[in-house]
Amino acid sequence: MTLWPALFIAFTGFAAIAATMARHSDAFGTQAFTPRRLQWCRAVGFVLLGVSLQMCLAHGGTSIAIAAWVGLLAFAALALGLLLTYAPHKARPLAYGAAALGWLLWGLTAH
């Protein structure tokens, strides 16, 4: 089993959290969202980060899984940060694609 699904889901979680920030609302098209919808989107982002932790924990040892998860979080945050800096118009479609790819890979590799 591989940790790629956890990376893609963590990326999507960070993207959902970033979409609720005024600074990134243009990149994600969330300017017209109500405050309640923004709270829901932020909550979904944190849930997705928790799901990525569960994906890492499914691999075995707790200490190794948590260390791997922290590394994946750093890499996912770096990837999203660079994406929002250099190609913000691609952030939304890539977030959707990462979510779909993460769930697909998880389904294919889960036993």
Side-chain angles (χ1 to χ4, degrees):
M1 203 186 307
T2 178
L3 291 177
W4 285 106
L7 174 66
F8 291 129
I9 296 300
F11 178 86
T12 305
F14 279 132
I17 294 168
T20 66
M21 303 170 80
R23 172 181 228 161
H24 303 301
S25 63
D26 288 340
F28 290 100
T30 56
Q31 308 92 321
F33 280 14
T34 63
R36 182 150 174 87
R37 191 164 182 194
L38 289 173
Q39 286 177 341
W40 180 85
C41 192
R42 187 177 300 123
V44 166
F46 284 111
V47 166
L48 287 173
L49 291 179
V51 167
S52 72
L53 174 60
Q54 280 300 116
M55 289 176 169
C56 289
L57 289 171
H59 276 92
T62 304
S63 60
I64 298 289
I66 292 174
W69 180 64
V70 170
L72 289 176
L73 290 182
F75 189 69
L78 175 67
L80 182 64
L82 290 172
L83 179 67
L84 288 173
T85 300
Y86 295 109
H89 59 282
K90 295 182 180 180
R92 188 174 183 174
L94 284 177
Y96 286 137
L101 188 58
W103 291 118
L104 177 68
L105 288 175
W106 180 253
L108 291 175
T109 60
H111 295 110

